Amino acid sequence: MENKKGFGFWVLIIVSIVLVVFLIIGQTLSLIDYDLALSLGLQESEKEIGKVGIAFAKGFAFGDTIFYIPLLVFGILGLLKGKKWGSVLMLGALGISIYWPIVHLYAIYIDTEAITLDPEKYISFPIVLSLITIYGLWGLYYLYKNSRD
């Protein structure tokens, strides 16, 4: 990663920080108190996704908390310091940022009998999840184009 920190760099950093905040509030909180996260509208109910869905939501929350969030945080710090390891960690986090939204988008539309979300979520989820996927794809492209060979 070159030392120039232009507009694209700051977009990547700011969006990444916002994502870390949302992940901590939505995912890490659900590990501590799933019902609280549910009451805040940050997780889905058993009625919407079933018991197996809750188990997978908690599994994603655990994985995000111990792996995805640290990758993002240390990726941000490394990029801010201009370190190569920052780019490597951020590349890993961006790959996750592409993967998980696509999994969730596919799941909510492939089996509408097993997953019955509240109607407004069928509008908000595709928007938010698509934006996260675009962030991941753009971030990969940005880091690739601005990396040292």
Side-chain angles (χ1 to χ4, degrees):
M1 184 83 196
E2 293 181 21
N3 285 335
K4 61 182 178 177
K5 294 178 180 166
F7 180 75
F9 176 86
W10 291 110
V11 168
L12 180 64
I13 295 297
I14 291 167
V15 173
S16 298
I17 290 169
V18 169
L19 186 55
V20 167
V21 171
F22 280 114
L23 286 166
I24 290 170
I25 294 169
Q27 295 294 76
T28 304
L29 176 63
S30 73
L31 287 178
I32 299 164
D33 189 342
Y34 192 88
D35 291 332
L36 176 59
L38 179 63
S39 71
L40 295 172
L42 302 171
Q43 292 293 333
E44 284 63 57
S45 68
E46 186 178 325
K47 177 185 168 220
E48 292 177 291
I49 61 175
K51 289 182 180 186
V52 172
I54 300 285
F56 273 92
K58 289 179 178 180
F60 270 97
F62 180 73
D64 289 349
T65 299
I66 66 162
F67 193 69
Y68 186 30
I69 294 170
L71 276 177
L72 275 168
V73 168
F74 289 109
I76 292 165
L77 294 173
L79 287 174
L80 288 170
K81 292 179 173 225
K83 301 294 185 181
K84 184 174 182 171
W85 56 262
S87 293
V88 172
L89 295 176
M90 185 59 77
L91 286 167
L94 291 166
I96 296 169
S97 301
I98 297 165
Y99 172 78
W100 76 260
I102 292 171
V103 168
H104 285 76
L105 280 170
Y106 183 81
I108 64 176
Y109 289 107
I110 196 65
D111 193 348
T112 54
E113 290 180 23
I115 299 174
T116 55
L117 299 174
D118 293 334
E120 69 274 2
K121 290 180 181 175
Y122 284 105
I123 297 169
S124 62
F125 277 21
I127 294 167
V128 172
L129 296 176
S130 295
L131 288 173
I132 293 169
T133 301
I134 291 166
Y135 149 79
L137 290 168
W138 175 83
L140 287 176
Y141 172 79
Y142 174 83
L143 289 177
Y144 173 75
K145 291 300 278 182
N146 291 283
S147 67
R148 290 181 243 149
D149 290 329

